[in-house]
Amino acid sequence: QPVVLYHYDPSRSEEVPLRLLDGFEGVLQTDGYAGYNRVCRENGLTRIGCWDHARRKFVEASKAAPVKKKGTKVSKADVAIGKIRKLYAIEKRIEKLPPEEKTRQRQQLAQPVLDDLKAWLEKNSTRVLRDSLTYKAIQYTLNQWDLLTGYCQDGKLHISNVLAENAIRPFAVGRKNWLFADTPRGAKASATVYSLIETAKANGIEPFAYLNHVLQHIGNAKMVEDVEALLPWNTSLNKMQKG
């Protein structure tokens, strides 16, 4: 079932995902943070990268570049963004296809774009200043290449972890406004509430109605089965909406 889980930990240690993903099997999609290496290695997880993160680095490089005068060439960062944009255009075109057909279309349409982009990155990695944002963006993308292209191997996978990014955004905005989120206990409390709200939304249930339902019935839950009955996909709210 669709689940959005927020988990707070005061550390960014590799021990955190190792503990959190204990027993999990499947695919882990992340940015390039090395803290995920160990859990993928020890749990045998397939790891793929996120093109949103790679593209963002080129966008930052483009914004930092001097203002272009009319008639001047576009920056290398802008060229890279244009090439990456082609990958997203392909995804938009095939988004409603079944996974098997998506895989085939990615091999046929996206792979040539990826090959062209990689050749361009390798060629231009020596043509920009080593301390520039563009150089850093190029190196990040090349270093993550095998992970970034992993989505092409399975139509069930996504080109980016934009779903997680979208779920994180309200949390990141809210923590600047709410005083209870500035302590470890407050962070854990808000993570719990956000998990319930976003999971309700992911299952097509209005969050306020769901929280109201949970608070009305959680006090009578005596066994694990009683708690599981309050999960979004098991509630009467879900059945009413489907009806």
Side-chain angles (χ1 to χ4, degrees):
Q1 302 292 344
V3 174
V4 178
L5 173 66
Y6 292 82
H7 174 80
Y8 170 77
D9 198 284
S11 166
R12 292 193 73 203
S13 163
E14 61 183 11
E15 298 292 336
V16 177
L18 197 66
R19 186 169 64 248
L20 185 63
L21 297 172
D22 182 37
F24 171 73
E25 296 178 358
V27 178
L28 181 63
Q29 186 167 29
T30 72
D31 59 11
Y33 179 52
Y36 297 110
N37 292 346
R38 183 179 170 192
V39 68
C40 291
R41 184 174 63 251
E42 295 190 8
N43 290 18
L45 303 181
T46 298
R47 182 177 178 183
I48 64 172
C50 167
W51 273 105
D52 271 24
H53 284 87
R55 180 177 62 177
R56 190 175 302 143
K57 293 184 182 300
F58 286 106
V59 170
E60 291 170 355
S62 176
K63 290 180 178 178
V67 178
K68 304 177 189 68
K69 295 180 180 180
K70 190 174 181 179
T72 58
K73 292 182 179 179
V74 297
S75 69
K76 286 183 168 53
D78 288 328
V79 173
I81 293 169
K83 291 178 180 294
I84 294 171
R85 191 177 291 125
K86 293 179 182 179
L87 296 173
Y88 281 84
I90 292 169
E91 290 304 300
K92 187 173 183 179
R93 195 187 317 168
I94 67 174
E95 64 180 341
K96 294 184 179 179
L97 296 178
E100 297 78 9
E101 182 61 17
K102 269 189 179 181
T103 304
R104 193 183 73 80
Q105 290 286 336
R106 283 171 176 170
Q107 296 292 331
Q108 180 179 336
L109 302 175
Q111 195 58 55
V113 178
L114 288 166
D115 292 341
D116 173 70
L117 174 57
K118 187 179 183 184
W120 185 90
L121 291 169
E122 291 173 338
K123 178 180 178 180
N124 285 276
S125 63
T126 58
R127 297 184 175 184
V128 293
L129 296 175
R130 294 181 67 87
D131 61 347
S132 68
L133 290 177
T134 300
Y135 177 82
K136 293 176 181 177
I138 290 175
Q139 291 306 309
Y140 175 89
T141 306
L142 287 174
N143 290 338
Q144 295 288 310
W145 192 258
D146 289 343
L147 302 181
L148 287 169
T149 57
Y151 79 99
C152 288
Q153 306 305 315
D154 188 340
K156 294 190 293 293
L157 304 179
H158 298 280
I159 191 172
S160 74
N161 60 358
V162 67
L163 295 176
E165 293 277 307
N166 289 343
I168 289 170
R169 191 168 292 111
F171 189 95
V173 173
R175 68 184 177 190
K176 298 178 181 178
N177 303 321
W178 299 320
L179 296 177
F180 71 79
D182 68 350
T183 66
R185 287 184 64 189
K188 289 180 180 178
S190 56
T192 298
V193 175
Y194 265 110
S195 295
L196 292 171
I197 290 172
E198 293 299 326
T199 299
K201 288 164 63 177
N203 285 271
I205 298 177
E206 202 280 317
F208 180 82
Y210 177 65
L211 288 178
N212 189 44
H213 176 81
V214 170
L215 292 173
Q216 285 183 1
H217 295 87
I218 191 73
N220 297 323
K222 306 298 182 185
M223 304 176 67
V224 173
E225 290 79 7
D226 299 328
V227 176
E228 290 180 343
L230 296 176
L231 293 171
W233 48 87
N234 292 332
T235 66
S236 56
L237 295 171
N238 182 272
K239 295 172 183 174
M240 284 191 295
Q241 290 200 1
K242 286 187 176 180

